[in-house]
């Protein structure tokens, strides 16, 4: 789009956004002109009318008070994000591509990983090189030892360090006492021990005995938004309380030790990570909260077999458990994303974009069926995009399909480079990146969007309540000077 047309579009969007004000302006001018013509006698007559109609006046105010009360009692309670914390693993867990491949070769030589050929080793190395991950992502300690340690005890240690570390930092930053938490929602897709992760947090922080706790499992990388939506629903019922949401995934138990290529991909992408989020429905917290939750949109296409089977945890032909990715995954993801966008669009897009969509729909329906569907300009609705850092290809496709700029997806690319795919918590590392860069100003709107097995595409929309500064122990504070980095990936065979 050339510069003059871009200016025309911006002006049109401004007119449509302020259409009601512009329509009522002549009416307000007319009322003001008429009011200026009122004489003292007119005002006296109006006063006498009110004195002689006490009953009508009383009924009017009663109905007004009743209507206002009903409105205040039935309208959804605002949900505020007071603060959040992302876990930063210790530096000794950093693992470069070279270090990972050297360790894999040692494991193979020891006979623990019986790969059939060097071709699979080359395949893993190519995936690592093309993944968009940097050289400082974190791998669990149990997977950096020889022999590997993948038992339940070591897996529990990894997850406990992540969730307890994130929650502990959150409590320190906010000054909230654990006894103030009335709702707890924890999500971890493939690691769900007994007692549950929510019980682990309850025991560690001595949470109160009447806490409403949920433990979400098997819901994939999009479960972080599901957890936020569940907490929001509970906050609409339980007034004047705090909700703690914790999102994580376990890597130790999920390393695939077989020879199926579709299952080896997850080994190359997933890394340690987790986030803790403090939500509140207390009006007093608005002054110190960072964001207000505006919308959550959840789409689940699991009724379709291809969607349901595109990402499954299963045993391979040798009985080794891993997560298998189907060749239908890109098609399923694109279709589910379109449904999510179609639901979210009317809630957030300006009337101008809805108008353009309607015009294109009419043209396609009645004039030219070969016309492509109109892709709304979501940059008119959002200032920041937090796209799940599932992989380089996913971010590339989202950037292309939503007509975003490299700056729009910078937080996602840098999160993938620095921390890898941390599953459901990746959108919070991205938000932390945006805050650390000083780009979050009052009134900015943020779109968090994540895709996961099932198949699901979930969105959450936030609005900044102030100029947001990064919290203490932001995961980017020690490396922000290095970012953004140029990611040069050789795609040649």
């Amino acid at each position: 789009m050339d510069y003059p047309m871009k200016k025309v579009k911006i002006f049109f969007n401004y007119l449509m956004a302020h259409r009601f004000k512009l329509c009522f302006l002549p009416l307000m001018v007319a009322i003001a002109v008429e009011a200026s013509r009122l004489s003292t006698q007119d005002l006296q007559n109006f006063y006498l009318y009110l004195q002689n109609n006490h009953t009508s006046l009383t009924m009017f105010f009663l109905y007004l008070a009743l209507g206002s009360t009903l409105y205040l009692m039935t309208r959804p309670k605002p949900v505020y994000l007071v603060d959040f914390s992302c876990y930063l693993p210790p530096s000794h867990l950093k693992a470069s591509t070279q270090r990972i491949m050297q360790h894999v070769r040692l494991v193979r030589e020891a006979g623990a990983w019986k790969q059939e050929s060097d071709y699979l080793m080359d395949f893993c190395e190519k995936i690592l090189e093309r993944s968009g991950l940097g050289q400082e992502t974190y791998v669990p300690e149990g997977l950096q030892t020889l022999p590997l340690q993948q038992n339940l005890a070591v897996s529990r240690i990894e997850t406990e360090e992540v969730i307890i570390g994130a929650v502990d930092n959150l409590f320190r930053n906010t000054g909230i006492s654990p006894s103030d938490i009335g709702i707890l929602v924890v999500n971890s897709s493939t690691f769900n021990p007994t007692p549950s992760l929510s019980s682990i947090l309850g025991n560690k922080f001595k949470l109160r005995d009447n806490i409403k706790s949920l433990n979400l499992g098997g819901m994939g990388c999009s479960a972080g938004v599901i957890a936020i939506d569940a907490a929001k629903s509970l906050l609409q019922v339980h007034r004047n309380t705090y909700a703690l949401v914790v999102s994580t995934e376990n890597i130790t138990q999920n390393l695939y030790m077989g020879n199926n290529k579709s299952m080896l991909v997850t080994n190359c992408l997933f890394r340690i990570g987790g986030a803790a989020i403090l939500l509140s429905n207390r009006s007093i917290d608005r002054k110190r909260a960072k964001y207000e939750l505006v919308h959550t949109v959840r789409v689940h296409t699991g009724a379709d077999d291809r969607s349901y089977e595109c990402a499954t945890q299963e045993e391979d032909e040798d009985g080794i458990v891993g997560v298998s990715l189907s060749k239908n995954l890109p098609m399923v993801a694109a279709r589910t994303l379109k449904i999510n966008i179609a639901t979210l669009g009317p809630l957030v897009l300006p009337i101008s974009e809805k108008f353009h969509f309607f015009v294109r729909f009419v043209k396609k329906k009645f004039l030219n069926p070969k016309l492509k569907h109109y892709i709304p300009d979501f940059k008119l609705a959002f200032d920041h995009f937090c796209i799940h850092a599932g992989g380089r290809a996913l971010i590339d496709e989202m950037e292309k399909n939503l007509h975003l700029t490299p700056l729009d997806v910078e937080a996602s690319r840098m999160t993938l480079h620095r921390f890898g795919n941390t599953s459901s918590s990746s959108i919070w590392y991205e938000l932390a990146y945006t805050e650390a860069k000083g780009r979050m100003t009052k009134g900015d709107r943020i779109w968090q969007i994540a895709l996961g097995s099932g198949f699901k595409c979930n969105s959450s929309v936030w609005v900044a309540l102030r100029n947001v500064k990064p919290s203490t122990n932001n995961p980017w504070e020690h490396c922000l000077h290095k970012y953004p980095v140029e990611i040069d990936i050789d795609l040649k065979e």
Side-chain angles (χ1 to χ4, degrees):
M1 183 182 296
D2 56 17
Y3 184 75
M5 285 302 297
K6 184 176 180 180
K7 298 292 287 186
V8 170
K9 185 175 182 179
I10 292 175
F11 178 69
F12 177 71
N13 289 329
Y14 179 84
L15 290 179
M16 298 305 291
H18 298 84
R19 62 194 183 282
F20 292 115
K21 295 178 182 178
L22 294 174
C23 290
F24 278 104
L25 184 60
L27 178 61
M28 297 303 295
V29 171
I31 292 174
V33 170
E34 289 297 323
S36 65
R37 295 175 181 175
L38 292 176
S39 63
T40 305
Q41 184 62 40
D42 294 328
L43 296 175
Q44 288 177 348
N45 291 338
F46 181 68
Y47 177 73
L48 291 173
Y49 173 80
L50 293 178
Q51 281 189 322
N52 296 327
N53 292 273
H54 288 296
T55 304
S56 300
L57 191 62
T58 302
M59 292 298 295
F60 170 77
F61 281 109
L62 282 175
Y63 281 121
L64 181 63
L66 179 62
S68 301
T69 302
L70 289 174
Y71 171 75
L72 292 173
M73 290 178 63
T74 57
R75 75 185 182 99
K77 192 76 173 176
V79 174
Y80 305 112
L81 192 159
V82 180
D83 204 351
F84 68 97
S85 172
C86 297
Y87 177 70
L88 180 65
S91 58
H92 72 272
L93 296 182
K94 288 182 181 179
S96 63
T97 298
Q98 182 181 7
R99 181 177 175 180
I100 291 172
M101 292 308 301
Q102 286 177 347
H103 193 68
V104 169
R105 291 186 177 93
L106 290 174
V107 172
R108 185 187 182 194
E109 290 173 5
W113 193 337
K114 298 179 181 178
Q115 290 198 352
E116 296 175 351
S117 66
D118 292 333
Y119 171 73
L120 290 176
M121 296 288 289
D122 295 337
F123 172 77
C124 291
E125 192 163 12
K126 285 182 179 180
I127 292 294
L128 284 169
E129 291 172 351
R130 301 177 182 184
S131 64
L133 275 69
Q135 302 303 312
E136 295 187 330
T137 59
Y138 300 92
V139 174
E141 195 160 6
L143 301 186
Q144 298 196 43
T145 60
L146 195 65
L148 298 176
Q149 298 181 42
Q150 291 186 274
N151 55 51
L152 180 61
V154 176
S155 300
R156 188 187 292 272
I157 290 173
E158 178 206 332
T159 295
E160 286 183 0
E161 288 179 349
V162 172
I163 62 178
I164 291 174
V167 172
D168 189 53
N169 185 61
L170 180 65
F171 283 148
R172 285 200 305 269
N173 288 346
T174 59
I176 295 295
S177 170
S179 61
D180 293 330
I181 304 299
I183 297 166
L184 174 63
V185 183
V186 183
N187 71 270
S188 174
S189 187
T190 57
F191 183 66
N192 293 282
T194 300
S196 67
L197 301 183
S198 59
S199 294
I200 291 173
L201 291 174
N203 177 261
K204 171 64 179 178
F205 293 100
K206 308 306 177 188
L207 301 179
R208 62 198 201 196
D209 55 9
N210 65 342
I211 192 169
K212 307 298 184 294
S213 64
L214 293 175
N215 208 91
L216 308 180
M219 305 195 79
C221 297
S222 65
V225 178
I226 297 175
I228 292 293
D229 184 62
K232 179 190 76 172
S233 298
L234 288 170
L235 285 170
Q236 297 302 320
V237 178
H238 304 280
R239 302 286 173 140
N240 199 37
T241 190
Y242 290 103
L244 175 62
V245 176
V246 182
S247 296
T248 189
E249 191 53 79
N250 185 275
I251 310 302
T252 300
Q253 270 201 340
N254 290 303
L255 181 69
Y256 172 65
M257 301 290 288
N259 298 298
N260 189 314
K261 287 174 62 176
S262 67
M263 293 182 174
L264 285 170
V265 175
T266 56
N267 288 356
C268 304
L269 297 178
F270 285 90
R271 298 292 187 270
I272 299 176
I277 304 96
L278 182 65
L279 303 177
S280 172
N281 58 13
R282 298 168 9 126
S283 57
I284 194 174
D285 285 321
R286 182 182 177 88
K287 292 182 179 179
R288 67 166 182 158
K290 288 184 173 182
Y291 309 99
E292 181 178 348
L293 182 59
V294 182
H295 301 292
T296 53
V297 173
R298 294 168 52 181
V299 172
H300 183 223
T301 58
D304 178 75
D305 289 342
R306 290 176 299 178
S307 295
Y308 176 74
E309 298 169 355
C310 70
T312 58
Q313 185 181 35
E314 59 188 19
E315 295 176 335
D316 66 8
E317 55 275 10
D318 298 318
I320 303 174
V321 176
V323 177
S324 175
L325 303 179
S326 165
K327 63 181 180 180
N328 292 322
L329 181 58
M331 179 272 294
V332 168
R335 183 168 64 91
T336 311
L337 174 64
K338 287 180 181 178
I339 299 173
N340 189 283
I341 289 175
T343 306
L344 181 66
L347 300 175
V348 298
L349 288 170
I351 191 67
S352 58
E353 288 300 290
K354 298 175 187 177
F355 175 76
H356 289 313
F357 179 85
F358 175 74
V359 171
R360 179 66 64 86
F361 175 80
V362 172
K363 288 182 178 180
K364 182 177 176 62
K365 184 74 172 177
F366 299 105
L367 300 178
N368 186 2
K370 295 183 179 180
L371 275 178
K372 293 183 178 180
H373 288 289
Y374 179 74
I375 304 298
D377 186 357
F378 279 95
K379 294 190 290 295
L380 296 173
F382 302 110
D383 303 284
H384 308 284
F385 299 82
C386 296
I387 300 167
H388 166 53
R392 178 185 57 82
L394 171 64
I395 299 173
D396 288 346
E397 282 301 309
M398 295 288 282
E399 179 183 5
K400 176 183 176 182
N401 293 334
L402 296 177
H403 298 171
L404 303 179
T405 67
L407 182 62
D408 294 327
V409 297
E410 180 183 308
S412 300
R413 290 195 193 283
M414 298 307 105
T415 294
L416 182 65
H417 183 273
R418 177 65 182 86
F419 295 100
N421 181 350
T422 62
S423 190
S424 57
S425 64
S426 68
I427 54 178
W428 297 106
Y429 286 92
E430 294 162 18
L431 188 57
Y433 178 86
T434 305
E435 291 183 359
K437 282 293 183 179
R439 297 172 180 171
M440 193 67 67
T441 59
K442 184 177 181 180
D444 283 0
R445 295 169 70 89
I446 307 98
W447 183 14
Q448 291 180 321
I449 183 166
L451 298 97
S453 59
F455 196 83
K456 296 179 284 293
C457 179
N458 302 317
S459 297
S460 57
V461 178
W462 307 84
V463 60
L465 299 176
R466 53 186 169 89
N467 296 338
V468 180
K469 296 180 180 180
S471 302
T472 305
N473 294 326
N474 181 289
W476 296 90
E477 62 183 12
H478 300 300
C479 61
L480 188 66
H481 62 283
K482 301 178 183 178
Y483 289 90
V485 298
E486 292 291 333
I487 303 176
D488 185 18
I489 300 173
D490 184 8
L491 298 179
K492 295 180 180 179
E493 290 293 337

